[in-house]
């Protein structure tokens, strides 16, 4: 049975699963501490979802929500399906859950970024109704 749950409380196994997914998401080393993980879970603006396949954690996705003068916005971040579970349509299920969640929160805009090298992910997002925008994304490490 496949289900998606929002992670609302700290458990060591949730932290370990998230750390494992982060190594599959990026080659950039990310030191996710227990304190940082607890802070994410405690934030009213962050919503971490795990996709469970027969009770095994098979994927994760984060939805961040914020409000500005131009309205409410949400971002999908950190979408990862474990390598052992890829090719089964689970990414689509997880993204569909995020879309439905954002709609249920009354947020009118949902955005995400995706590395152009992630061909399958980019194709998935486009087939699900996301439109590629002509924009520049800037980042500064502080």
């Amino acid at each position: 049975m496949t289900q998606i749950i929002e992670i609302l409380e700290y458990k060591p196994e949730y932290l370990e699963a998230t750390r494992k997914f982060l190594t599959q998401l990026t080659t950039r080393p990310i030191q996710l501490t227990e304190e940082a993980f607890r802070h994410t879970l405690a934030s009213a603006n962050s919503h971490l979802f795990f996709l469970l396949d027969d009770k095994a954690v098979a994927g994760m996705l984060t939805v961040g929500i914020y409000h500005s003068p131009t309205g409410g916005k949400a971002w999908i971040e950190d979408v990862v399906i474990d390598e052992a579970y890829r090719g089964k349509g689970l990414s689509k299920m997880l993204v569909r859950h995020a879309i439905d969640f954002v709609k249920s929160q009354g947020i009118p805009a949902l955005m995400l970024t995706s590395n152009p090298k992630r061909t399958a992910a980019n194709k998935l997002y486009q087939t699900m109704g996301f439109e590629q925008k002509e924009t520049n994304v800037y980042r500064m490490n502080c």
Side-chain angles (χ1 to χ4, degrees), residues 6-136:
E6 183 171 3
I7 304 304
L8 299 171
E9 63 183 42
Y10 173 81
K11 290 186 181 178
E13 59 266 30
Y14 293 163
L15 173 59
E16 289 309 311
T18 303
R19 285 176 173 160
K20 180 179 111 178
F21 287 129
L22 292 175
T23 65
Q24 294 180 36
L25 179 66
T26 180
T27 57
R28 180 174 56 91
I30 299 173
Q31 301 299 320
L32 181 62
T33 65
E34 180 181 328
E35 179 183 2
F37 187 65
R38 285 180 182 272
H39 183 75
T40 298
L41 296 179
S43 171
N45 298 330
S46 292
H47 303 274
L48 175 63
F49 296 97
F50 279 178
L51 184 142
L52 306 178
D53 187 58
D54 290 329
K55 298 186 182 181
V57 181
M60 78 169 190
L61 174 148
T62 305
V63 173
I65 296 175
Y66 71 97
H67 298 271
S68 72
T70 57
K73 297 175 181 70
W75 282 84
I76 292 177
E77 300 275 352
D78 307 330
V79 180
V80 186
I81 297 296
D82 186 271
E83 293 166 341
Y85 292 89
R86 292 182 187 163
K88 299 179 180 182
L90 300 178
S91 293
K92 186 173 187 175
M93 185 183 298
L94 199 51
V95 173
R96 170 54 50 205
H97 182 82
I99 293 167
D100 293 342
F101 174 76
V102 169
K103 286 180 179 179
S104 77
Q105 301 299 303
I107 304 298
L110 176 59
M111 298 166 285
L112 59 83
T113 62
S114 185
N115 187 318
K117 294 177 185 173
R118 295 183 177 264
T119 308
N122 282 282
K123 183 178 178 183
L124 170 70
Y125 301 138
Q126 291 171 12
T127 62
M128 295 189 74
F130 287 88
E131 298 174 10
Q132 187 174 10
K133 294 190 65 129
E134 294 269 337
T135 188
N136 295 325

